[in-house]
Amino acid sequence: MFDALSDRLQNAFQSLKGHGKLTAEDVDQAMREIRLALLEADVNFKVVREFVAQVKQRALGVEVMESLTPAQQVIKIVNEELTTLMGAGDSKLAFSGRAPTIILMAGLQGSGKTTTCAKLARHLKKDGKRPVLIAADVYRPAAIDQLKTLGERVGVPVYAPGADLDPVDIARDGVEYARLNGDVAIIDTAGRLHIDEELMGELARIRSAVKPHNILLVVDSMTGQDAVNAAEEFRQKVDLDGVVLTKLDGDARGGAALSVRAVTGRPIKFASNGEKLDDFDTFHPDRMASRILGMGDVLSLIEKAEDSLDARKAAEMEAKLRRAEFTFEDFLEQLKQVRKMGSLSSILGMLPGVPGMKELKNVQVDDRQLDRIEAMIFSMTPRERRNPELIDGPRKQRVARGSGTQVQDVNMLLKQYREMQKMLKMFKGGKVKGLRLPGM
Amino acid sequence: MFKGVAEGDVPAEVIAEEQRERKGLFGRLRRNLGKARLAVRDGLKSALYVGVDRRLYEQVEETLIAADVGVDGTIKIVDELERRCTAKKIEAREPFFEELADVVAGALKPEDPERQRIDVSADPSVILVVGVNGTGKTTTIGKIAFRLRQMGKTPLMVAADTFRAAAVEQLSAWADRAGCDIVKQEAGSDPAAVVYDGVAAARSRGADVVIIDTAGRLHTQVNLMRELEKVRRVIEKQLPGAPHETLLVLDATTGQNGLRQAQEFKQAVDVTGVVLTKLDGTAKGGIVVAIHDSLGIPIKLVGVGEKLEDLRPFEADEFARAVFGGGDEDGD
């Protein structure tokens, strides 16, 4: 339903192919695509506006205008800006020198506070802590039962004196209980609307009663434009230290994460991504950036390509190609460069859109095809590699035998080589202007 | 709100109350959204020095985006608005707002208004309630049951959310409040089996509306969606023609993912209507425009609070006016 931003950018820059550099209009077009992609990912429109202005400024700079791969450069800038925006700030919890460390969980109804409390407890327990859960949601029917059951499942004590008490008292007594029975107190509170004065007041009272070291806002990753309003109200009324993002196992782009981060300035500390109590981890800003843009791991791919392609060798290759002197030896060299990036299937997996494509789910990319080509070239003599015209019938048979392939395979390879030569000669003859070699 | 409730069965005071509440609801909605509306209007006012111009449309776009209508929906609405304003030569503020509210309402109205009501005319009728986690399914069921009781029906709740800890207890609490029966089994049992029991119990206990609570599930979880398909098949087999309603409960704070949710649930269990919950916050639930427009699923009910009576029939015109302005000035 959503086009990945990287695809959109590639399209936006399509018109560029074959004519010189980026113009300001090209950049505007690209910014429009970025804007739409972010809005469709539920990033708040005000945040989008500022963000796009920032990206545009950088995109108009030298790094993109001079680049041979402007689309990739813009994607890179977008991703860097997103990651910076989301990643800044400490994602760790504050631990108190004197036990117990107190964590207050807050959020709107249905964001997943109770489940998150249990998941966090389990996470801390694995880290060698001794968490205690405190049931201070006295409003939602059976919320206390839910926390008790979950506490049992993760093997953590639950302080749950009942639904008839004041949540402020429960929280205060619960912390006392945690002091005796553990070293971290996690307080589950009732879901509340940020505009509910009474309940927001209650939360503020809990806060002043127990003075938590961490106040975490639980945010549903499917939230739309309103996420910032709620988060900002919570920040103003009880002051947040961080955010826990839930339900990330769905297919929401999760723009709310970016919005909340940008507007409140509070870091996202944890992400919850599944039904199981184990499905919980510290937050990875880079992964979230890619997710919002819907572009798989295209960044790591670009970086991999940058790392593995030796610039000097690439320049030599380009010169050779321009002289139409491309031989099998050069081909072998190219092959080696590509393979440094990893197996074909892993490269494919990093391309935007591909991992989610149903049609491709069962397709196994055959890395052995490359092996075969390599074997055939290795079975040629160095002279043959430089002058493939030498390869006649008997030589073909020898190459096929040597590489464990058939003569037809060798013929195929030679045919492809001749076609490439023909194309290169055309370029050399100036029939096609402004050739840009892929990947260079 | 319901189709299939005999007029005579409903006490006059309930009808009067419902009409009063309906007014009250949108007044409240207006108040909650008041701040946002005023900001928009202030912005619009200054733009209106030069009549209906480009800037005004841009601000309308922004308002729609901020309401989670989505990019495609926004473009559609603004195009239509522009077309109408040009045709009618609208150049002043009030008729412009009227037109905007009209376009939005139009996008939310099914051709047959009957489709906006919940059909309980069969005996027994079965209402299957589905949705992602945390949208308010259980609460919604409590409120529907309460309403049905008020109208002289005998609802029966079926606790088929056997997955989430204490979900059965939560539904039981609502059954107590609404004063109706509940069919339940142990946590962790097969939801299809609970549903089978429930439909059978409706017959033996003389209940006329069966309301089935299901576990919240993300629409991307293939196995859980299959489980839901199975629940539906079990109902169909046991009672031909059922479920008579399959309601998708959608949180008004949901963004563009709401459309995906509706798509997937529709495909799995053929959703007949949407219940838009949590409209008492500042979120506007604009994604329902896209859901109605592209999937043809009518919006049937809205939830505006935690109390039993905080569930109301959805009214496209008033919703559009409350959210996007138009109509009288005194609303805020």
Side-chain angles (χ1 to χ4, degrees):
Chain A
M1 177 165 77
F2 302 116
D3 291 331
L5 177 62
S6 43
D7 292 344
R8 291 182 141 186
L9 285 179
Q10 299 284 5
N11 288 339
F13 287 118
Q14 203 89 59
S15 55
L16 281 177
K17 285 207 175 122
H19 75 77
K21 284 182 190 170
L22 270 183
T23 64
E25 289 88 80
D26 294 326
V27 172
D28 277 342
Q29 172 67 20
M31 293 309 121
R32 201 185 108 81
E33 296 295 340
I34 293 170
R35 183 167 165 253
L36 290 180
L38 292 176
L39 286 174
E40 281 176 357
D42 290 322
V43 179
N44 184 270
F45 71 97
K46 288 179 192 150
V47 178
V48 170
R49 202 155 42 200
E50 279 165 34
F51 182 81
V52 169
Q54 176 77 17
V55 171
K56 186 174 175 181
Q57 204 178 9
R58 273 188 67 185
L60 284 172
V62 189
E63 52 186 325
V64 174
M65 304 300 270
E66 302 280 305
S67 164
L68 289 173
T69 52
Q72 293 190 349
Q73 291 302 322
V74 172
I75 293 169
K76 225 179 120 177
I77 292 174
V78 171
N79 190 69
E80 277 170 17
E81 290 290 326
L82 272 185
T83 312
T84 319
L85 195 57
M86 258 178 327
D90 196 356
S91 71
K92 289 191 186 66
L93 289 173
F95 283 101
S96 160
R98 257 181 56 209
T101 293
I102 301 163
I103 304 171
L104 180 64
M105 308 292 277
L108 301 174
Q109 291 96 335
S111 52
K113 281 173 302 303
T114 307
T115 308
T116 301
C117 283
K119 286 181 171 183
L120 179 61
R122 189 186 168 89
H123 182 82
L124 291 171
K125 201 179 160 199
K126 272 198 287 192
D127 267 1
K129 300 273 190 295
R130 293 183 301 130
V132 170
L133 291 165
I134 298 165
D137 177 0
V138 299
Y139 303 104
R140 182 162 59 91
I144 295 175
D145 291 336
Q146 189 186 352
L147 193 70
K148 275 193 204 160
T149 311
L150 291 171
E152 219 165 274
R153 267 188 224 163
V154 296
V156 159
V158 180
Y159 180 77
D164 307 325
L165 300 165
D166 182 357
V168 180
D169 294 334
I170 297 178
R172 193 187 292 116
D173 297 347
V175 169
E176 215 33 62
Y177 176 85
R179 200 184 309 282
L180 303 170
N181 294 284
D183 54 18
V184 181
I186 303 172
I187 306 170
D188 183 26
T189 63
R192 62 201 75 216
L193 277 174
H194 51 290
I195 50 169
D196 186 328
E197 297 288 339
E198 200 183 315
L199 284 181
M200 290 304 281
E202 178 200 278
L203 201 60
R205 285 204 308 282
I206 294 179
R207 177 183 147 227
S208 26
V210 301
K211 303 201 172 44
H213 306 95
N214 303 274
I215 302 176
L216 300 182
L217 181 72
V218 181
V219 176
D220 184 333
S221 59
M222 294 182 284
T223 318
Q225 297 284 325
D226 198 50
V228 294
N229 300 332
E232 187 55 14
E233 283 290 317
F234 271 96
R235 190 191 67 78
Q236 281 175 15
K237 295 203 171 121
V238 292
D239 196 14
L240 307 172
D241 297 296
V243 171
V244 183
L245 207 57
T246 60
K247 306 181 201 172
L248 263 175
D249 45 332
D251 55 0
R253 282 285 162 75
L258 178 65
S259 312
V260 168
R261 177 71 187 82
V263 171
T264 63
R266 298 296 183 263
I268 295 154
K269 300 205 180 220
F270 296 100
S272 163
N273 59 357
E275 297 261 340
K276 289 195 296 294
L277 290 168
D278 270 341
D279 298 329
F280 186 82
D281 202 359
T282 42
F283 178 71
H284 296 281
D286 47 337
R287 285 184 212 164
M288 196 65 214
S290 299
R291 180 183 178 121
I292 288 176
L293 297 174
M295 53 188 195
D297 245 343
V298 74
L299 277 309
S300 8
L301 192 61
I302 294 172
E303 268 150 32
K304 268 193 171 173
E306 278 175 353
D307 290 348
S308 48
L309 291 176
D310 186 316
R312 192 179 49 83
K313 277 190 185 153
E316 269 172 29
M317 189 72 70
E318 189 178 349
K320 278 193 172 172
L321 286 173
R322 288 203 184 281
R323 291 195 303 270
E325 280 171 7
F326 192 73
T327 67
F328 274 125
E329 277 183 334
D330 303 319
F331 191 68
L332 209 55
E333 186 56 42
Q334 281 274 296
L335 215 55
K336 240 164 70 191
Q337 298 264 9
V338 172
R339 303 199 96 181
K340 263 200 257 173
M341 287 165 66
S343 73
L344 266 190
S345 34
S346 76
I347 294 171
L348 208 58
M350 283 187 277
L351 290 174
V354 172
M357 277 164 75
K358 280 194 185 119
E359 301 82 5
L360 279 176
K361 251 186 197 142
N362 299 316
V363 175
Q364 285 298 313
V365 182
D366 195 0
D367 278 305
R368 284 178 315 180
Q369 187 64 31
L370 289 183
D371 289 338
R372 270 197 290 274
I373 292 175
E374 220 168 48
M376 282 189 271
I377 300 176
F378 278 138
S379 299
M380 298 171 188
T381 65
R383 217 172 123 226
E384 283 167 350
R385 290 183 208 166
R386 280 191 292 267
N387 307 293
E389 316 77 66
L390 288 176
I391 305 174
D392 53 11
R395 284 180 195 257
K396 278 181 200 166
Q397 276 182 10
R398 197 200 70 241
V399 170
R401 268 203 311 278
S403 56
T405 55
Q406 305 291 317
V407 175
Q408 294 97 292
D409 297 320
V410 182
N411 278 332
M412 186 74 80
L413 180 65
L414 288 171
K415 194 176 159 215
Q416 281 168 351
Y417 171 76
R418 277 193 299 274
E419 265 162 24
M420 215 150 96
Q421 280 290 27
K422 239 192 279 173
M423 269 178 41
L424 288 170
K425 282 201 176 110
M426 250 163 53
F427 292 135
K428 196 187 166 200
K431 278 181 197 133
V432 180
K433 291 239 155 87
L435 161 74
R436 197 174 302 131
L437 296 163
M440 292 186 182
Chain B
M1 182 187 286
F2 298 102
K3 179 176 153 192
V5 175
E7 291 289 323
D9 291 351
V10 185
E13 64 265 25
V14 173
I15 297 174
E17 192 200 349
E18 190 169 310
Q19 275 166 353
R20 210 168 45 242
E21 280 172 350
R22 201 172 289 181
K23 272 197 175 153
L25 153 67
F26 288 101
R28 208 156 114 201
L29 205 55
R30 268 169 202 270
R31 275 196 299 282
N32 286 343
L33 301 169
K35 244 163 109 181
R37 280 181 73 215
L38 281 182
V40 175
R41 289 202 170 189
D42 284 349
L44 294 172
K45 210 192 259 170
S46 59
L48 275 167
Y49 277 115
V50 281
V52 176
D53 65 357
R54 215 44 263 160
R55 233 190 102 208
L56 181 67
Y57 281 107
E58 273 169 26
Q59 276 165 344
V60 169
E61 269 177 21
E62 220 157 67
T63 314
L64 292 167
I65 292 282
D68 288 317
V69 171
V71 174
D72 290 344
T74 297
I75 292 172
K76 248 183 169 167
I77 289 174
V78 171
D79 282 353
E80 173 67 11
L81 179 65
E82 203 167 356
R83 199 184 57 74
R84 287 202 204 172
C85 285
T86 313
K88 295 187 188 171
K89 297 200 170 55
I90 290 174
E91 281 165 3
R93 172 178 161 165
E94 276 313 311
F96 179 81
F97 278 122
E98 279 299 325
E99 212 58 49
L100 170 61
D102 234 47
V103 175
V104 174
L108 285 163
K109 270 188 222 167
E111 271 170 40
D112 176 7
E114 281 294 290
R115 289 190 58 219
Q116 273 184 273
R117 303 211 286 164
I118 292 181
D119 189 355
V120 290
S121 46
D123 184 14
S125 296
V126 177
I127 305 175
L128 180 64
V129 181
V130 301
V132 302
N133 317 61
T135 54
K137 283 176 294 302
T138 308
T139 308
T140 298
I141 290 170
K143 292 172 181 176
I144 292 179
F146 174 76
R147 276 289 148 143
L148 286 168
R149 289 274 296 142
Q150 273 191 319
M151 300 188 166
K153 290 274 181 184
T154 313
L156 172 76
M157 292 184 187
V158 178
D161 179 356
T162 56
F163 180 80
R164 185 167 61 88
V168 177
E169 286 83 346
Q170 190 182 347
L171 192 69
S172 300
W174 281 108
D176 285 346
R177 284 189 204 173
C180 76
D181 253 359
I182 179 168
V183 171
K184 56 189 175 187
Q185 289 183 12
E186 273 164 49
S189 46
D190 178 10
V194 184
V195 167
Y196 188 89
D197 276 4
V199 176
R203 287 174 168 157
S204 61
R205 297 189 201 179
D208 45 24
V209 186
V210 182
I211 316 172
I212 301 167
D213 187 22
T214 61
R217 66 202 73 215
L218 292 182
H219 50 289
T220 50
Q221 287 158 339
V222 179
N223 291 338
L224 293 180
M225 292 304 279
R226 292 247 168 84
E227 178 193 273
L228 204 57
E229 285 169 23
K230 183 179 162 197
V231 164
R232 194 194 150 92
R233 275 200 308 275
V234 166
I235 301 169
E236 269 171 354
K237 247 189 176 165
Q238 200 179 359
L239 192 70
H244 307 87
E245 291 280 359
T246 301
L247 300 179
L248 173 72
V249 180
L250 190 83
D251 185 331
T253 60
T254 312
Q256 297 311 297
N257 195 245
L259 185 57
R260 298 275 314 138
Q261 293 174 22
Q263 257 168 352
E264 295 296 323
F265 277 99
K266 184 183 173 171
Q267 207 187 344
V269 289
D270 195 14
V271 173
T272 58
V274 167
V275 181
L276 188 62
T277 61
K278 307 187 199 175
L279 261 181
D280 45 337
T282 48
K284 297 165 194 71
I287 191 63
V288 293
V289 175
I291 291 174
H292 182 252
D293 190 50
S294 65
L295 301 173
I297 306 174
I299 321 307
K300 298 203 174 187
L301 301 171
V302 293
V304 290
E306 305 216 320
K307 288 194 296 297
L308 267 177
E309 57 277 7
D310 290 337
L311 184 77
R312 311 291 161 79
F314 175 77
E315 302 280 347
D317 285 307
E318 287 171 86
F319 177 79
R321 278 173 177 74
V323 175
F324 302 109
D328 52 79
E329 282 285 284
D330 53 48
D332 9 349

